[in-house]
Amino acid sequence: MSDAKHKESKGPHLIGSPEALSLFSESVSSLWCPSSIEIITHLPSPQEFYALFVAKNRPCILRLDQGLPQWKMEDIQEMCGKNSMITVNVTPDGHGDTIRKVKGGDTKITKMFVLPEERSMSIEHFLERLRHNSLSNKMTSDSHELEILKIQDNQQKEAEELQEKVAESRIRDGIFYYSLQNDCLRKELPQLVPHVDHYFEELLLWAETVFGTGPPDAVNLWIGPSQAVSSIHKDYYENLFFVASGEKVFKLYPPCDSPFLPIEELCTSRFRQQEDHKWNVVTEENINSSNEPYKTPWIDMNKTSVYDTYRHPIIVHVKEGDILYLPSLWFHQVSQTCETVAINWWFDMQFDSPLYCYFDLLQNCRIQP
């Protein structure tokens, strides 16, 4: 996720009384945060869109009748070539970048932040895996019942060998999701760029005027089955998210919900499938210290409290042909109802604004016990 690009403020937390934060939550509901988001059927002027949505940090859906592409995975394969190589995220159950209960060698159970395993494969092979996923039982997006996995020290020789070996016998199982991010469309599949430009050149010039921060920092391609789930996170970008085929489901929380979303700093690990097809996790090394494990701050939605009712969740179904405008700093969990192909553009947010400063303050606000 793009959170890694920016460091969170650290230091003593500000303490808010339950009464003060309750009033704050009520004000958010009555004055700013919608219970549903607006659907726009015509492209407004950049000035109008900025005033209605960007300046107010409000999401919306652009449902435009502009003949946008309805690409499926087969179309991507045809445009890029079946032998084009891509980096695919693989997990045992579709949940990557997630908090997971892990059993260590001493049988002690602990929580860790777990990244997906990354595998290089051809587009043709990835398509085969997607079709295999579609025959599997559809998993729930509820992360409460994830299996406890064993932890493996990444100093072990066999872990290094497994990282390099991508044999056919290892990849029969798991959920395959193309979700590399980090400008993956332009970096891994440059053959797609002229096709994307053909359909979206006018829209992207409009967006550059709206956001005022130049061309997009990244263009990402997302291809996954119904089992794939992205856990709740935020991005420091203005996000335009287009669904070419299928349907995405976003569960949104506004930036002001930050005090009510429990964050933990957890040791970081990565899924790894062994030659016997069993899954475990391998700890990530800390490049700054050989003695301390690398840690990641992440939201643990399995934690509950009486203050959960202070949140303002919004469920948004982004259908084929829709473009979701997701403002910077909005928290979101993402799933899909079926095999889905999507493209998104990340435009850098304006950090020299009150919005970011206020959000940084809220991130350090906690409820008084």
Side-chain angles (χ1 to χ4, degrees), residues 52-219:
L52 291 175
F53 299 103
V54 181
K56 295 182 179 180
N57 197 242
R58 281 182 176 169
C60 70
I61 285 179
L62 295 169
R63 188 166 290 168
L64 309 174
D65 185 17
Q66 292 188 347
L68 297 178
Q70 297 178 325
W71 292 329
K72 294 180 171 58
M73 182 57 203
E74 289 84 356
D75 301 311
I76 303 297
Q77 178 175 268
E78 182 178 350
M79 289 183 283
C80 297
K82 66 181 182 179
N83 294 320
S84 295
M85 300 299 292
I86 57 176
T87 305
V88 178
N89 288 331
V90 188
T91 60
D93 50 21
H95 295 260
D97 291 328
T98 187
I99 294 177
R100 191 81 177 238
K101 288 183 179 179
V102 176
K103 184 186 294 183
D106 58 358
T107 71
K108 181 181 178 181
I109 294 175
T110 185
K111 286 193 295 186
M112 299 187 77
F113 176 71
V114 187
L115 297 163
E117 182 177 29
E118 294 184 348
R119 298 183 192 168
S120 179
M121 65 184 66
S122 68
I123 286 183
E124 181 181 37
H125 194 176
F126 175 53
L127 178 56
E128 291 174 0
R129 303 318 305 165
L130 280 180
R131 295 297 177 262
H132 173 78
N133 289 157
S134 68
L135 298 176
S136 304
N137 292 329
K138 185 177 183 299
M139 298 252 333
T140 175
S141 63
D142 182 2
S143 61
H144 288 71
E145 300 300 328
L146 294 182
E147 180 187 357
I148 296 174
L149 302 180
K150 293 183 179 179
I151 186 170
Q152 176 180 323
D153 186 349
N154 75 340
Q155 297 299 318
Q156 296 177 2
K157 180 180 178 182
E158 52 265 37
E160 297 174 357
E161 294 172 349
L162 285 174
Q163 187 175 17
E164 298 173 357
K165 186 177 181 182
V166 187
E168 176 64 29
S169 61
R170 293 181 58 230
I171 58 179
R172 293 189 313 211
D173 310 309
I175 302 301
F176 289 63
Y177 186 23
Y178 188 62
S179 54
L180 185 64
Q181 307 177 84
N182 302 322
D183 205 24
C184 62
L185 188 150
R186 294 188 292 198
K187 289 180 178 178
E188 290 206 325
L189 296 171
Q191 309 95 312
L192 272 183
V193 172
H195 299 279
V196 173
D197 288 346
H198 172 74
Y199 285 100
F200 294 100
E201 182 178 14
E202 181 181 344
L203 178 70
L204 295 178
L205 289 173
W206 171 88
E208 287 184 35
T209 304
V210 169
F211 301 127
T213 54
D217 272 13
V219 184

Side-chain angles (χ1 to χ4, degrees), residues 14 26 37 51 59 74 77 80 82 86 102 136 155 205 234 243 269 291 295 304 310-311 326 337 342-343:
L14 298 171
E26 290 174 9
I37 70 171
E74 289 84 356
Q77 178 175 268
C80 297
K82 66 181 182 179
I86 57 176
V102 176
S136 304
Q155 297 299 318
L205 289 173
K234 66 182 181 301
V243 174
S269 60
N291 298 321
K295 292 189 175 182
T304 59
Y310 291 4
R311 300 172 188 164
L326 182 61
T337 60
I343 300 170

Side-chain angles (χ1 to χ4, degrees), residues 278-294:
K278 293 181 180 179
W279 286 87
N280 61 12
V281 299
V282 179
T283 54
E284 293 279 288
E285 290 183 351
N286 188 341
I287 60 174
N288 298 316
S289 170
S290 58
N291 298 321
E292 294 293 330
Y294 184 76

